[in-house]
Amino acid sequence: MARTAQDVTDAELSVLQMLWDHGTSSVRELTERLYKEVSLSLTATVQKLLERLEGKKYVKRDRKTWPHQFSAIVRRDELIAHQLQTTADKLCEGELNTLLTCLVKTKGLSAEDRESLRTLLDDLDSNAK
Amino acid sequence: MARTAQDVTDAELSVLQMLWDHGTSSVRELTERLYKEVSLSLTATVQKLLERLEGKKYVKRDRKTWPHQFSAIVRRDELIAHQLQTTADKLCEGELNTLLTCLVKTKGLSAEDRESLRTLLDDLDSNAK
DNA sequence: TGAAAGCCAGACGACTTGTCTTTAGTCTGT
DNA sequence: ACAGACTAAAGACAAGTCGTCTGGCTTTCA
């Protein structure tokens, strides 16, 4: 039994970052931004990464345009939340709250960090009301 | 270039869980708990996992006893914090606060969850004062 | 219609990871 | 002190991942 596949690999993530930062793009544009140069092999690499991201439903492709236009269909914070949920499942039996507590407890949060978190919680409270 | 190695793999984690739950153990004990049976190959597998965990400084081995006794040298919450930091580094440029914010924002925390978090923050405040 | 670019499928090599085999070392009861 | 049983250590191995590349095809546009 070999290792379990990662949700998003490093190379895939770097493509996603470009899509988040610059919006809908073509393969060429992405390649230029990522590698500062364009070649047959490099664009093929990006193509493959996009293909895999498309399979994972993190990116969508507009096939009606030429060249195809790619855009992210997860937001950065959604992906983060998903990753955290995965970690929670593995280490805390899915208890996100446990994980949050561990996190807040163990890592040194600054006073400002704590303050902004508290504000955030307040907002949530009033929305939920 | 292949993928970057995982911090703790699934099989390694299951060994760690046993150490967390039952404390210092021998290879045989771990094997029995994990597989409900003992064989040459299974114990060798556990042995190898322990060896790798030792290399990662997550487990220590007492070579003075026979058979060797193994124990975890990270706590569960330390490992969790480390995993989260890794995620933060990858997705938020290391900003743990950003990650926390994303998390709290995106995932539905219950009112009780929010309350316990707030209490936790209060505790931290008074300790830090 | 021919050149330039993009699309796609498949192949590849380096690496990871869980498992197993083999050999050598250590303990136990008699 | 020796047979038998167990443990330790090292390495091999298969299956899978992942980033990269090649080569053949399609589309666009001058």
Side-chain angles (χ1 to χ4, degrees), chain A residues 2-6 8-10 13 17 20 75-85 87 90-93 95-107 109 111-118 120-122 124-125 128, chain B residues 2-6 8-10 13 17 20 75-85 87 90-93 95-107 109 111-118 120-122 124-125 128:
Chain A
R3 65 172 151 183
T4 54
Q6 288 181 338
V8 176
T9 69
D10 290 348
L13 184 59
Q17 302 271 19
W20 284 330
R75 290 195 316 276
R76 197 190 298 251
D77 59 323
E78 284 172 342
L79 183 60
I80 290 171
H82 183 254
Q83 303 280 280
L84 292 183
Q85 184 64 60
T87 306
K90 277 182 60 171
L91 277 75
C92 312
E93 282 124 28
E95 273 297 321
L96 242 172
N97 190 38
T98 307
L99 177 143
L100 254 178
T101 306
C102 278
L103 176 56
V104 173
K105 213 180 299 184
T106 314
K107 301 305 293 187
L109 288 180
E112 304 90 82
D113 286 345
R114 290 198 296 274
E115 193 44 45
S116 67
L117 245 185
R118 213 186 309 267
L120 181 56
L121 286 173
D122 291 343
L124 282 176
D125 274 347
Chain B
R3 69 164 147 184
T4 55
Q6 289 181 332
V8 177
T9 69
D10 291 347
L13 183 59
Q17 302 272 19
W20 284 329
R75 290 195 315 276
R76 200 190 296 252
D77 60 323
E78 284 172 342
L79 183 60
I80 290 171
H82 183 256
Q83 302 281 284
L84 293 183
Q85 185 64 60
T87 306
K90 279 181 61 173
L91 277 74
C92 313
E93 280 124 28
E95 273 297 320
L96 241 171
N97 190 38
T98 307
L99 177 143
L100 255 178
T101 306
C102 278
L103 177 55
V104 172
K105 212 180 300 184
T106 314
K107 301 306 293 187
L109 288 179
E112 303 90 82
D113 287 345
R114 290 197 298 274
E115 193 43 44
S116 67
L117 247 185
R118 212 185 311 266
L120 182 56
L121 287 174
D122 290 344
L124 283 177
D125 273 347

